[in-house]
Amino acid sequence: MKRLLLAVLFLISALPAFAQSTIEEDVARWSLQLSEIEARLGSLEPTIDDLDDFRNQLDDVSDELKARIANREEELAPLEAGLEQLGPEPEDGSRESPQVVEERKRLSDRVATLSGGLRLAQNLLLNVDETLTRIVTTRRDMFRDALLTRTRGIFEPGILSRAHEALTRKVNQVQSEVRTRLESSDQTTGDKIRRGLGALFLIGVLILIFRTKDTAIAWLKSRMETGETRLRNVNLSIALTLVRLILPTAAIILFGLWMESSVLIGPLSRAILDGLAYSALLVVGAYGLGSAFFAPYEPELRISRLEDDRARSMHRWLMVLALIVGADRLLVAQGAEGLGLSFETLVTLNTLILIPGGLTLWMASGILRPGEMSWQVEPEDEDDEPVQPKFTAQFIRLLKFIVRAAAVAAPILAMIGYFAASRYIFYSVVFSGAALSIGIMLFHAVNEAVTTVVDEDDETSRRRLRLIPVIVAFFMACAAIPVLLLIWGATGKDLENLWEGIEEGLVIGDIVLSPLDLVSFLIVFSIGYVFTRMLQGIMSRNVLPLTGLDSGGRDAVTAGIGYVGIFAAALIAISTTGLDLSNLAIVAGALSVGIGFGLQNIVNNFVSGVILLIERPIKAGDWVELASGMGYVRKVNVRSTEVQTFDRSTLFVPNSELISSPVINWTHSDLNGRLIVKIGVAYGTDPRKVEAILQEIADSHTMLLKRPAPYVLFRGFGADSLDFEIRGVLRDVNWILNVQSDMNYAIAEKFEEAGIEIPFAQRDVHIKNLDDLGKGVVEVAKDAVEDAKHPPAPRTAPKAGMDTADGEAE
């Protein structure tokens, strides 16, 4: 047992030495690998594929070096901390403890040993990064040069005839290869019989597969006629798409496997077979997905908004485009290596394929319209038509412009000799469109599935549901970005470097901000927010009603839980991201002055809102009278309080106004309130009789409290009436208008029965010197008659040279 423990201790003590030798050996090996790659870069002319291979190798070396360097730095950190703790050797020659001297020497030796390998690894990492930068730059230049290099075009003399001769020779080679294998003498009669039976069996299996496909499609279509729900149609569309994709794909794979095992297949035939298989799979995929998106003969399952004729036309153009891309794969993409075609032949074939390809793109883009996409927002009113988001229509217009530009540019570039550029533009646009179409179909399936889950009668759920398509579209757009980057020439390492850059984030001083931290912050904060809302709901529905708090108090507690919960969720989310809040102290201090001046009203209202929730002079349900209006308090928010007026309008009152300005709260402590009904009677009426009638009316109303009892006051002698008042205390002041109306009706009835008159304003007018006034009126009338009989001569303008004052000449 003792020997075993000694062996374990020896191994533990020897681990650093093993680690040292391992990193040094690895650095030596990686240095040799780097030297070989640099030599090949300097002496040879590598292709783009060679550069990609070199980059992958050096990226792996860089990752390993970074990991080793990080481990070595972690190993050195406690040793250097120990040396710093011991301090330097005394310069005055004073003696130290032998244990301290020995420990300092041991740590110094260990640090020196480990630092040597660390510096070698760091130096190698710098060299690797420099070589990687050189490779990336070289590859980018080669890619640009390939696109801008002009070769022979189709209009060069003799190029068409030479291409025709090359293709004729290649067809003859295939025929000769198949004939030679058929006439091979090593085939016995039994082999021929077995291959014949195998061919018959394969034909039977293929017939069974396609009959099964037709039967399954017919059955699904018959089920579609009885489908009524959107979810059922989505399920049928998915099932039809799978049948159209899986069964033909299985048939192609079986046929390809049988052909691979056949003696008829030689090297040249195998290349043609691979191209045909790829083309067949491409056509099957285009047919299945196109049938799902355009549904030329199933309008109920159509994702796009195209009409029947235009949907069928779009589906046909899609199939033509799939055949063109398949022909390119068979003749051009593998023409140089698999078929051994010359470059002139490839240029000719590329041009002859891209011309109908560009025409197909142009015709297909002319069918699509911006307003006929799959996603449309449901309107508020069921009678209105669905509305498509504006940005979707603009996006479709942009895509249509890009597709038409590629449809024109690719054939022209191919004809004038830009072989690589024409292919890059055309096929990048085609495959990008295929990727976007698949994304749209997936989005449509998810959107329809989520829509059918929610009850259509639940208005709240329907409103919240409108956000789900936006969220799904956002995540699908994020997933589509790397796919589109790969289509347009990016490599896997480019995406890895991009992702690493996203993970590293943006460094601002000591603060690192990365999208991943933002996502984690949003996730943690969302969880805290949902938990807070759940706690508020439980407290408001199940716990607080069991207490003695009124509605305003319950609202205040619920709001306080919300504030505390959201604040705690934000703090937890920030700490989860690893953001050091102490680094923001300086920034917060600088901003506090600006906040104090620029946001003082907001802060004032916020603090006032907190005071309202704690002190509760005003709470939800109170009837308040303000300078700006009167109504019921509905909710006390952070910044303002919602007051619903008697006109059913909402008045938003800043909280600071409720704290600093006078406010009448009719229902603050209880619902009791004083009622005053004023009434006037005509002079000459017996006041005691009026008092008795009014007191009877007041005592008989059930809304007036008996203690204190209502009473009647004789207020005084008015200009037109004797003024009385009924005063009492209501059980519920909210009914004050109704009680006033009831009493007015009762007063009118009792006064009519008693013959008491309710006066209205009366005035007696006394006119003095009436005789003199009559004489003056008569004289004025006579003068008016004389003027009417003898009108005065009209006045004319003075002539020139005459004075306007006295009418005499100057």
Side-chain angles (χ1 to χ4, degrees), residues 554-576:
R554 294 197 295 267
D555 292 341
V557 173
T558 304
I561 293 174
Y563 296 152
V564 174
I566 293 175
F567 182 73
L571 288 181
I572 295 173
I574 292 174
S575 62
T576 303

Side-chain angles (χ1 to χ4, degrees), residues 460-502:
T460 303
S461 299
R462 290 181 60 189
R463 290 180 180 276
R464 294 177 179 175
L465 190 66
R466 294 190 181 100
L467 292 176
I468 294 179
V470 179
I471 298 173
V472 173
F474 172 76
F475 283 106
M476 295 193 69
C478 294
I481 290 175
V483 177
L484 295 177
L485 290 177
L486 290 174
I487 291 173
W488 287 88
T491 63
K493 287 298 178 183
D494 292 332
L495 297 182
E496 290 181 8
N497 295 336
L498 179 61
W499 180 252
E500 290 175 358
I502 292 175

Side-chain angles (χ1 to χ4, degrees), residues 531-550:
F531 177 78
T532 301
R533 293 307 185 194
M534 291 175 59
L535 182 60
Q536 284 182 298
I538 294 173
M539 293 294 293
S540 62
R541 290 191 300 266
N542 303 104
V543 178
L544 294 177
L546 303 178
T547 64
L549 293 175
D550 55 10

Side-chain angles (χ1 to χ4, degrees), residues 39 44 67 87 107 115 121 133 140 170 247 270 302 336 395 401 473 492 524 561 624 659 670 675 784 790 804:
L44 303 176
L107 293 178
S115 299
T133 304
R140 184 173 59 247
K170 196 60 60 179
L247 294 180
R270 180 170 286 103
R302 188 172 299 156
F395 180 69
F401 172 78
V524 175
I561 293 174
V624 296
I659 297 295
D670 54 42
L675 170 72
H790 306 284
T804 57

Side-chain angles (χ1 to χ4, degrees), residues 337-642:
E337 297 181 0
L339 302 179
L341 298 177
S342 63
F343 186 73
E344 291 182 346
T345 306
L346 295 179
V347 169
T348 304
L349 292 174
N350 179 66
T351 305
L352 296 178
I353 288 174
L354 290 187
I355 290 176
L359 178 62
T360 303
L361 282 182
W362 183 275
M363 298 299 295
S365 64
I367 296 176
L368 289 179
R369 294 176 182 174
E372 295 174 336
M373 289 299 295
S374 60
W375 180 29
Q376 292 185 346
V377 178
E378 296 295 332
E380 296 286 343
D381 191 355
E382 296 181 355
D383 298 332
D384 295 338
E385 294 294 331
V387 181
Q388 188 179 49
K390 184 178 180 180
F391 73 90
T392 304
Q394 294 175 348
F395 180 69
I396 297 304
R397 291 190 184 95
L398 177 61
L399 288 182
K400 188 174 181 179
F401 172 78
I402 294 174
V403 170
R404 290 202 163 185
V408 174
I412 293 176
L413 291 174
M415 286 187 289
I416 62 179
Y418 288 96
F419 177 80
S422 63
R423 296 181 59 78
Y424 174 75
I425 293 175
F426 182 79
Y427 290 104
S428 296
V429 171
V430 169
F431 291 126
S432 298
L436 291 176
S437 300
I438 294 173
I440 291 173
M441 285 188 288
L442 293 176
F443 165 76
H444 176 75
V446 173
N447 185 35
E448 291 293 331
V450 173
T451 303
T452 53
V453 170
V454 179
D455 186 7
E456 295 183 356
D457 297 333
D458 190 353
E459 183 64 24
T460 303
S461 299
R462 290 181 60 189
R463 290 180 180 276
R464 294 177 179 175
L465 190 66
R466 294 190 181 100
L467 292 176
I468 294 179
V470 179
I471 298 173
V472 173
F474 172 76
F475 283 106
M476 295 193 69
C478 294
I481 290 175
V483 177
L484 295 177
L485 290 177
L486 290 174
I487 291 173
W488 287 88
T491 63
K493 287 298 178 183
D494 292 332
L495 297 182
E496 290 181 8
N497 295 336
L498 179 61
W499 180 252
E500 290 175 358
I502 292 175
E503 287 182 332
E504 292 177 359
L506 178 64
V507 179
I508 304 176
D510 296 333
I511 302 175
V512 179
L513 301 176
S514 68
L516 294 180
D517 292 338
L518 177 60
V519 171
S520 62
F521 172 82
L522 293 177
I523 292 174
V524 175
F525 180 76
S526 299
I527 294 174
Y529 180 81
V530 172
F531 177 78
T532 301
R533 293 307 185 194
M534 291 175 59
L535 182 60
Q536 284 182 298
I538 294 173
M539 293 294 293
S540 62
R541 290 191 300 266
N542 303 104
V543 178
L544 294 177
L546 303 178
T547 64
L549 293 175
D550 55 10
S551 61
R554 294 197 295 267
D555 292 341
V557 173
T558 304
I561 293 174
Y563 296 152
V564 174
I566 293 175
F567 182 73
L571 288 181
I572 295 173
I574 292 174
S575 62
T576 303
T577 58
L579 182 63
D580 188 4
L581 296 180
S582 62
N583 295 327
L584 300 177
I586 299 176
V587 178
L591 293 177
S592 61
V593 178
I595 293 175
F597 285 99
L599 302 179
Q600 56 181 347
N601 289 332
I602 296 177
V603 175
N604 186 16
N605 289 324
F606 175 78
V607 174
S608 300
V610 174
I611 294 174
L612 290 176
L613 291 176
I614 296 175
E615 187 179 343
R616 296 176 59 213
I618 294 173
K619 55 186 181 298
D622 285 351
W623 176 11
V624 296
E625 184 176 351
L626 310 169
S628 53
M630 179 187 297
Y632 289 101
V633 176
R634 293 307 179 194
K635 189 177 182 181
V636 179
N637 297 316
V638 176
R639 190 197 65 84
S640 62
T641 298
E642 297 180 15

Side-chain angles (χ1 to χ4, degrees), residues 42-162:
S43 60
L44 303 176
E45 293 184 0
T47 62
I48 292 181
D49 293 335
D50 294 335
L51 294 176
D52 290 338
D53 182 51
F54 296 157
R55 183 181 179 183
N56 292 333
Q57 294 181 29
L58 293 183
D59 278 332
D60 295 337
V61 172
S62 177
D63 294 338
E64 290 290 339
L65 278 172
K66 291 177 181 178
R68 295 297 183 86
I69 290 172
N71 293 334
R72 182 55 56 89
E73 288 177 347
E74 292 179 0
E75 190 176 354
L76 279 171
L79 300 176
E80 293 175 346
L83 281 176
E84 184 178 358
Q85 185 69 25
L86 293 175
E89 296 181 2
E91 297 180 356
D92 55 359
S94 59
R95 297 184 61 183
E96 288 185 310
S97 172
Q99 291 83 0
V100 173
V101 175
E102 183 180 356
E103 182 65 16
R104 183 186 293 111
K105 183 177 182 304
R106 187 186 68 83
L107 293 178
S108 299
D109 294 341
R110 186 62 181 153
V111 168
T113 303
L114 295 178
S115 299
L118 178 62
R119 286 192 293 269
L120 289 175
Q122 291 173 341
N123 183 62
L124 180 60
L125 181 60
L126 290 176
N127 295 332
V128 170
D129 290 340
E130 291 178 0
T131 306
L132 280 173
T133 304
R134 178 185 172 189
I135 290 174
V136 172
T137 303
T138 304
R139 187 188 186 281
R140 184 173 59 247
D141 294 340
M142 291 179 63
F143 184 75
R144 183 193 61 231
D145 294 340
L147 292 179
L148 299 179
T149 300
R150 184 176 180 275
T151 60
R152 293 183 178 183
I154 196 173
F155 299 112
E156 297 288 338
I159 192 170
L160 291 176
S161 60
R162 289 193 294 271

Side-chain angles (χ1 to χ4, degrees), residues 270-387:
R270 180 170 286 103
I272 295 176
L273 179 63
D274 293 340
L276 289 174
Y278 176 86
S279 302
L281 291 175
L282 184 64
V283 171
V284 169
Y287 177 76
L289 297 178
S291 298
F293 190 78
F294 298 108
Y297 301 102
E298 298 92 19
E300 298 85 357
L301 307 181
R302 188 172 299 156
I303 297 176
S304 64
R305 306 287 177 177
L306 295 174
E307 300 174 355
D308 292 344
D309 295 339
R310 297 171 61 237
R312 297 188 186 105
S313 299
M314 191 66 192
H315 189 260
R316 286 194 293 268
W317 285 117
L318 178 63
M319 298 304 301
V320 172
L321 185 61
L323 291 173
I324 290 173
V325 176
D328 177 85
R329 172 70 181 182
L330 173 63
L331 299 175
V332 181
Q334 65 173 7
E337 297 181 0
L339 302 179
L341 298 177
S342 63
F343 186 73
E344 291 182 346
T345 306
L346 295 179
V347 169
T348 304
L349 292 174
N350 179 66
T351 305
L352 296 178
I353 288 174
L354 290 187
I355 290 176
L359 178 62
T360 303
L361 282 182
W362 183 275
M363 298 299 295
S365 64
I367 296 176
L368 289 179
R369 294 176 182 174
E372 295 174 336
M373 289 299 295
S374 60
W375 180 29
Q376 292 185 346
V377 178
E378 296 295 332
E380 296 286 343
D381 191 355
E382 296 181 355
D383 298 332
D384 295 338
E385 294 294 331
V387 181

Side-chain angles (χ1 to χ4, degrees), residues 86-288:
L86 293 175
E89 296 181 2
E91 297 180 356
D92 55 359
S94 59
R95 297 184 61 183
E96 288 185 310
S97 172
Q99 291 83 0
V100 173
V101 175
E102 183 180 356
E103 182 65 16
R104 183 186 293 111
K105 183 177 182 304
R106 187 186 68 83
L107 293 178
S108 299
D109 294 341
R110 186 62 181 153
V111 168
T113 303
L114 295 178
S115 299
L118 178 62
R119 286 192 293 269
L120 289 175
Q122 291 173 341
N123 183 62
L124 180 60
L125 181 60
L126 290 176
N127 295 332
V128 170
D129 290 340
E130 291 178 0
T131 306
L132 280 173
T133 304
R134 178 185 172 189
I135 290 174
V136 172
T137 303
T138 304
R139 187 188 186 281
R140 184 173 59 247
D141 294 340
M142 291 179 63
F143 184 75
R144 183 193 61 231
D145 294 340
L147 292 179
L148 299 179
T149 300
R150 184 176 180 275
T151 60
R152 293 183 178 183
I154 196 173
F155 299 112
E156 297 288 338
I159 192 170
L160 291 176
S161 60
R162 289 193 294 271
H164 180 266
E165 294 175 359
L167 290 176
T168 303
R169 287 195 302 269
K170 196 60 60 179
V171 172
N172 294 332
Q173 289 179 10
V174 175
Q175 293 176 353
S176 176
E177 184 180 74
V178 174
R179 189 182 303 110
T180 301
R181 289 184 170 271
L182 283 174
E183 296 173 355
S184 177
S185 58
D186 59 351
Q187 298 184 30
T188 63
T189 304
D191 294 336
K192 294 179 180 180
I193 293 175
R194 282 193 297 272
R195 290 190 177 92
L197 293 176
L200 292 176
F201 178 75
L202 176 66
I203 293 173
V205 171
L206 294 179
I207 293 175
L208 178 62
I209 289 175
F210 284 103
R211 290 295 300 272
T212 303
K213 179 181 77 69
D214 296 337
T215 304
I217 291 176
W219 182 79
L220 290 172
K221 287 184 177 180
S222 65
R223 299 285 295 174
M224 179 187 64
E225 296 176 359
T226 60
E228 297 179 356
T229 63
R230 298 170 66 179
L231 181 60
R232 187 183 186 89
N233 288 338
V234 172
N235 294 333
L236 290 174
S237 178
I238 294 174
L240 283 170
T241 304
L242 292 177
V243 169
R244 288 166 175 159
L245 290 176
I246 295 176
L247 294 180
T249 302
I252 294 171
I253 293 175
L254 288 176
F255 182 77
L257 293 175
W258 180 81
M259 290 296 295
E260 285 286 343
S261 62
S262 176
V263 296
L264 302 176
I265 300 300
L268 189 59
S269 302
R270 180 170 286 103
I272 295 176
L273 179 63
D274 293 340
L276 289 174
Y278 176 86
S279 302
L281 291 175
L282 184 64
V283 171
V284 169
Y287 177 76

